[in-house]
Every structure is written in structure tokens, then in C-alpha cells.
Amino acid sequence: MSDTTGQQTSQQPPSPDGPKKAKKPDRPGGGILVGRPFGVPIYVTPTWFLIAALITWLFGNQLSNVLPDLGYTRYLIALSFAIAFYASVLVHELAHTVVALRYKLGVRRIQLQFFGGVSEIEKEAETPGREFWLAFVGPLLSLVLGGICWLFLDLVELETVPGVLLAGLMVANLVVAVFNLLPGLPLDGGRMLRAVVWGVTGRPMTGTIAAAWAGRVLALAVLFGLPAIAAAQDHGRRSGGQSLLDSALAAVLAVVIWNGAGAAVRNARLKEALPRLAVRGLTRRAVSVPADTPLAEALRQAREAQAGAVVVADGHGDPIALVKEAAVLQVPEHRRPWVAVGALARSLEPGLRISADLDGEELLAALRSVPASEYLVVEADGAVYGVLAVSDVERRLSAVLTGR
């Protein structure tokens, strides 16, 4: 079990099909809404039911060795353990949430899923010290919960249902705390390592890269180390099915850690690049033509003007539509003299005019607000500056995220 608490920023690039409409707030990313503490929605994803069933089965089988008189009731007790354990994971996530809200970073949601919980924090911490405490508070609360369970163990008999449940919760919370303190992204320990390197070097990107590579090393260690440790503890007596399950869980966890480390680097690169993502540097020069202009003629005028876009204008020369590049490419060359550009254009709806002064997060927010493949770029006085193609924005972001 692990808690892969993630800090996801709001700067996401447009999709290859253009910016997507915002999802409904009640079910972002799927899952069942179970509450809104501090105004933050908590969702239980379908994968949680899989891990709850797995915990119920494994813990129930272990109960038969400790309390053999329980019979099939042991699975009901095991299910209550699974629910109680994820309640403690929720406390872990709420700790991150409270600190994030205290620092005014914003929290989009909390998800309980297959490998623990995820707190989706909207902004990065402004200082390495805040980043460190934001990450550390989760494992700290897990350690506190484990300690509370240990204290209550003195009040009950160990070989009873309360004793077994408290012992299980104590061990589980300690495992969550220790695992999350491992120094590799996307775990809390990785974010703490990032904060330390950031504080020493003064560069958050350097901290991210160091913690991400540590996370990749950790993923390999999990992939090969967890099955080996499990086999060694059982002195090689584990069944083939149990060994296969150990390997499968280790592989899934390793993939989650590896992908999380990579995502952290991509988000950091995107954050660094956003201030340089300006509309003026991405806009294509455009030519204006009437709607009944043959496509071949419009393209000829665009070539002569060294323009990369075509705008449809009315009788007064005012822009009324944008010719879609994808539609142009679908028209065979021999048909272009017979197809009017108006048939290949999208009307200038509200939201398809954007300011030439937009950049960074404001630009991405404008693209997300109204999905389209092209936008008319205008100056403050309404004069046409050109056309922004989403494909150009995506290419620039892709180059940033891949380090090209």
C-alpha cells in the first residue's frame, strides 16, 4: 500500500484535438463524491473498490490464523479494516489540504484510489520551506495515527478483534508514513528532497530533476526489491500464486512512481516555459478574403503575403470567420478552384477573439474556455494582428516538455 500524494498544477497543455471543455465540478475525473471538508471535494474512484476487495481477502485470510473461531465473519471484519485504513489515508491527505489552504495554494480535490490518496494542489509552494512542510505534514499525521493505535493496544487484548484491528492499523499507518518518506517523486519524501535541493541551489527546477531521478531509482528498487523481500521473509515458501501477486503489485506501484516522477519534470518544465509562451510569438500572419473566394485563390494570396492563415471578411473588410486549416488539407488540390473558403470557415463566435497581449496561464485559460483549432488575434483597439493556431501552441509545449 502506498499514498501517492501528488501536487498537480493547473497549467495543463491543450490536447491534440484542441482545448477541452471544463468537466463538470461534481465528477471531475470520475469517482463518487463523499464529502467536502474545508470546501474541498473528496472522491472515491472505482479502483478503490478493487483494493478494498483485495485487502478484505488478504486480511481476512490472515485473521483465520489469529482468530480461527471467527469463520466467515472474518471477511466482514477485514472489510471494516479496509475502510478504517482508507479513513486514515484520508486524514493524511487532509493534512496536506489544510496546509495548502493555509498557504493559499488552493486544492482542487482529494481522490482515494488504488494506491492510496492524491491531493490535487493547484499552485506550487512559493518557498522551499513551505514546500517541505506541505509534503512532510502527511507522513507526520500517519506517524501520529500509528502512535495512537499503539497506545490503544495497551487497553485491549492483542488476540481479539479490537486488538487485531488496532495492530493492523498501527502497522499500516507506519508503512504509509515510512514509504511516503522515501526520497523520490511523486512521494512526499521526493517533494521534501526537492525542497532541500531547491533551498540549497536556489533553483526549483534543479530540485525537481534531482527528486525525479531519485523517484525513478526508487521505482526500479520497488520493482525488483519488494518481491525479493517478500520471498526472503517467507524463506522461499511462498506459493506461485502469491509470488505472482507480489510481483504484479510491485510492477504496478513501480509504474505509478516512474510515471509520477516523469510528470513532475514535465510540469516543472511547463511552469518555467509558461512566461515565454506569448501570443505574439506564435501568431501567424493572415490574409482577409470574401467568403465566396475560391480556396485556390485564397491560398495564392496567402503565399504571396507569406501568411499562414486565411480570414473571411464581410463587405466592409471586418473579419467574420476563420478558415480551418484541417478543412483546407482535406480538399484535394484539383478541387480547390471550385470550393469557396466560406464553406471551410468557422464563424467568429464569442471567445474566438483573443488579445495579442496574452501569455502564460492566461493564454492557456483563454484556449480552454472555447475549444477551437484557430483563434483571431486582435490588438487592444480591435485591429487584426493575425491568427493563432492551436497546433502551433501544442508544438511549442511539446518541445518544452520533451526538452527539445
Side-chain angles (χ1 to χ4, degrees), residues 30-107:
I32 302 171
L33 179 64
V34 296
R36 291 180 178 272
F38 309 107
V40 177
I42 298 174
Y43 294 89
V44 176
T45 67
T47 58
W48 177 84
F49 295 95
L50 295 176
I51 194 64
L54 181 61
I55 292 174
T56 300
W57 175 54
L58 294 175
F59 193 68
N61 290 340
Q62 292 296 321
L63 281 177
S64 64
N65 298 327
V66 181
L67 301 171
D69 296 334
L70 287 177
Y72 289 106
T73 306
R74 68 182 184 271
Y75 292 108
L76 182 60
I77 297 171
L79 176 60
S80 67
F81 167 77
I83 295 173
F85 170 62
Y86 266 83
S88 63
V89 170
L90 177 58
V91 171
H92 177 116
E93 297 305 324
L94 286 174
H96 291 302
T97 294
V98 169
V99 175
L101 294 177
R102 172 68 178 80
Y103 291 154
K104 302 185 186 308
L105 302 179
V107 181

Side-chain angles (χ1 to χ4, degrees), residues 3-12 92-93 96-97 99-101 103-111 113 117-137 180 184-192 194-195 198 204 208 259-268 270-271:
D3 167 42
T4 55
T5 303
Q7 181 167 326
Q8 301 182 4
T9 64
S10 58
Q11 302 94 5
Q12 299 294 331
H92 177 116
E93 297 305 324
H96 291 302
T97 294
V99 175
L101 294 177
Y103 291 154
K104 302 185 186 308
L105 302 179
V107 181
R108 184 178 298 113
R109 64 180 175 178
I110 296 174
Q111 276 193 325
Q113 50 187 243
V118 177
S119 301
E120 295 190 6
I121 300 172
E122 295 177 347
K123 300 178 183 178
E124 295 268 351
E126 297 176 352
T127 66
R130 288 188 172 188
E131 171 77 357
F132 185 92
W133 285 109
L134 179 61
F136 180 59
V137 69
N180 272 274
L185 286 173
L187 301 176
D188 293 328
R191 291 164 61 195
M192 293 163 63
R194 174 182 182 269
W198 176 7
T208 300
N259 289 342
V265 173
R266 289 191 296 272
N267 283 336
L270 179 59
K271 180 177 174 62

Side-chain angles (χ1 to χ4, degrees), residues 240-380:
Q242 187 65 49
S243 297
L244 181 61
L245 179 61
D246 293 339
S247 298
L249 290 176
V252 172
L253 184 55
V255 168
V256 169
I257 296 174
W258 184 280
N259 289 342
V265 173
R266 289 191 296 272
N267 283 336
R269 285 176 176 163
L270 179 59
K271 180 177 174 62
E272 282 198 336
L274 277 180
R276 304 192 302 273
L277 192 68
V279 168
R280 291 187 185 276
L282 295 168
T283 299
R284 300 178 181 182
R285 181 180 299 173
V287 294
S288 297
V289 298
D292 59 357
T293 304
L295 176 59
E297 172 60 18
L299 294 178
R300 184 193 66 78
Q301 293 185 31
R303 284 194 296 271
E304 286 186 355
Q306 296 183 334
V310 177
V311 176
V312 177
D314 61 14
H316 301 287
D318 296 325
I320 58 173
L322 298 174
V323 176
K324 296 180 289 186
E325 183 179 34
V328 170
L329 295 176
Q330 290 177 354
V331 179
E333 190 167 353
H334 69 275
R335 295 255 322 143
R336 292 178 178 179
W338 316 107
V339 177
V341 293
L344 307 175
R346 176 174 179 175
S347 299
L348 279 174
E349 307 161 6
L352 294 187
R353 297 174 187 260
I354 61 175
S355 170
D357 297 322
L358 288 180
D359 59 13
E361 292 186 54
E362 291 183 347
L363 169 58
L364 295 187
L367 300 187
R368 289 196 193 97
S369 63
V370 180
S373 54
E374 287 88 12
Y375 297 82
L376 184 70
V377 180
V378 297
E379 298 283 9

Side-chain angles (χ1 to χ4, degrees), residues 175-188:
V175 168
V176 167
V178 172
F179 186 80
N180 272 274
L181 287 172
L182 294 176
L185 286 173
L187 301 176
D188 293 328

